[in-house]
Amino acid sequence: MSKRPTVLVAISGLVIATGALMTARAVMAAAPEDKQWQAVAPGRVEACSGQIKLATAVTGVVDKVLVKANDKVFAGEPLILLADGELGARLAAAETQVALRKRARDERSVAGSANTRRKARDAVADAEQSVYGVRAIVDRVAAELRVKGGPDDGLTTARSALARARAELARRQEELREIEEDSPLPTMLEGQLSIARSEYAVARSALDKMTVRAPIDGTVLQVNVRAGELVSSGSPQPPLQLADLSALCVRAELDERDLGSVKVKQTVSVRAAAFPGREFEGIVSSIAPLVEPGRLEPPGSRNQTDVDVVQVIVGLTGSGELTAGMKADVYFRFGKIVDR
């Protein structure tokens, strides 16, 4: 019998044994690196302030869309204008009624506390008109700046004036509250003027609802409407989405079995497939008090329902090029807690 098969079997066994030894050594060499991680959790990058899905307060037809995706906006800036139809005419009619009632009231002079209250009410009405007027200037300057570009000095000045007008209105309203506590009942003419001013406020509010404004300083993420489209508060898709991207977080889904080893203020590393070889630092800011089925696919798993998770929010200390909505994996480190 030839010895060649025996030699081949021996060589094959030696190769297999050598490969196994090399694999074992590689695992042992990697072990110290692996020990620095307590757990790994999948997640998504998002704005720490949350993503705001803006809706319209009323049903209407879009007249103008003033912004586009990636535009920076300030709180109160008009983003979408709806066709106001007859609302402008209704406001003008209400304003005329206020002027007529005020003229009729002024023909009857009063003295003492009644006169003091009259002046205080007029001061509040004047302050409200000032706020509306300055806000209209801010809206116009902001719209022109988006179209023409250039320095924003004019917008900064207008916004400062609006802040002062609002502060003056708040001061006048507080003075009126203090005066009305000890004032006599209003006369019939004063009551009629108050009703006219209330009707004007209702007409103004209805017209204001035709403008969708930014609730915060932020960045426009999506614009989902065009001029001419019908929108409503119940639209399945929000007309516009925005977020404050100045601070980014990762909402991670931590396996419930690893919950005991993760603490608030613990440092983490974040890795994203879009940036291979890069790590972004972060700190655990909150851990949800609820275990629930996972929504994201955990590393190495193909069945999301197999894992119950706890949501962990990680604040990124250096987000770099990460973008809201991007998938990322969070690596929790052993024993590193920051005191801040």
Side-chain angles (χ1 to χ4, degrees):
M1 180 178 179
S2 174
K3 294 183 179 180
R4 180 172 296 178
T6 304
V7 173
L8 290 176
V9 170
I11 293 174
S12 300
L14 181 59
V15 170
I16 294 173
T18 302
L21 180 60
M22 293 176 64
T23 302
R25 286 178 177 175
V27 171
M28 291 177 64
E33 177 67 16
D34 293 340
K35 285 183 179 179
Q36 67 176 311
W37 309 116
Q38 291 171 288
V40 183
R44 282 191 185 274
V45 179
E46 63 180 34
C48 295
S49 63
Q51 185 170 316
I52 300 176
K53 300 178 180 180
L54 294 183
T56 58
V58 295
T59 299
V61 176
V62 176
D63 184 32
K64 292 181 180 179
V65 180
L66 303 177
V67 294
K68 60 184 182 300
N70 209 39
D71 278 352
K72 302 289 191 302
V73 299
F74 60 85
E77 181 177 355
L79 309 177
I80 298 173
L81 302 180
L82 304 183
D84 53 35
E86 76 282 359
L87 293 179
R90 186 182 303 176
L91 179 66
E95 190 172 13
T96 300
Q97 283 296 318
V98 170
L100 292 175
R101 297 297 183 185
K102 186 175 183 297
R103 180 183 302 173
R105 184 211 63 179
D106 290 345
E107 292 176 354
R108 300 285 183 90
S109 61
V110 293
S113 59
N115 186 47
T116 302
R117 179 181 60 192
R118 175 183 291 187
K119 291 181 178 179
R121 286 184 171 180
D122 288 349
V124 168
D126 291 342
E128 288 175 343
Q129 289 302 314
S130 179
V131 169
Y132 295 140
V134 178
R135 190 182 67 178
I137 294 174
V138 172
D139 292 350
R140 176 177 56 79
V141 174
E144 291 177 354
L145 188 62
R146 291 225 172 269
V147 174
K148 300 178 181 178
D152 60 356
D153 296 346
L155 179 59
T156 301
T157 301
R159 292 184 64 190
S160 298
L162 179 58
R164 290 193 298 270
R166 286 172 171 164
E168 177 66 12
L169 174 59
R171 186 178 70 83
R172 294 294 188 180
Q173 289 173 333
E174 180 59 29
E175 289 179 353
L176 178 60
R177 280 191 292 268
E178 294 176 356
I179 291 171
E180 286 189 327
E181 290 179 358
D182 301 321
S183 297
L185 292 175
T187 64
M188 181 177 294
L189 292 176
E190 288 173 338
Q192 290 173 347
L193 176 57
S194 294
I195 292 173
R197 281 173 170 166
S198 297
E199 291 174 348
Y200 173 83
V202 171
R204 167 64 69 178
S205 177
L207 186 60
D208 285 346
K209 290 177 181 177
M210 308 307 287
T211 300
V212 179
R213 297 180 179 273
I216 62 169
D217 295 345
T219 301
V220 177
L221 302 180
Q222 285 184 345
V223 177
N224 301 314
V225 293
R226 302 176 186 175
E229 292 183 352
L230 180 69
V231 294
S232 69
S233 57
S235 298
Q237 186 177 41
L240 189 145
Q241 298 185 49
L242 63 86
D244 178 7
L245 300 181
S246 61
L248 294 180
C249 293
V250 177
R251 185 180 299 272
E253 293 186 345
L254 178 70
D255 192 315
E256 64 172 331
R257 293 168 293 187
D258 298 320
L259 178 59
S261 59
V262 173
K263 307 295 181 185
V264 173
K265 296 186 178 180
Q266 182 173 343
T267 60
V268 303
S269 288
V270 176
R271 300 174 184 174
F275 302 100
R278 298 276 303 278
E279 288 193 359
F280 303 89
E281 298 301 311
I283 299 172
V284 176
S285 59
S286 67
I287 301 173
L290 175 67
V291 177
E292 57 185 347
R295 297 183 180 89
L296 298 173
E297 183 178 347
S301 172
R302 294 186 178 180
N303 191 346
Q304 300 178 22
T305 60
D306 286 347
V307 180
D308 285 338
V309 299
V310 175
Q311 285 200 354
V312 177
I313 303 298
V314 171
L316 293 170
T317 56
S319 56
E321 300 90 344
L322 294 179
T323 303
M326 182 178 290
K327 287 184 178 181
D329 292 327
V330 178
Y331 292 77
F332 298 87
R333 293 175 175 171
F334 275 106
K336 289 195 175 183
I337 305 292
V338 294
D339 185 17
R340 63 179 180 181

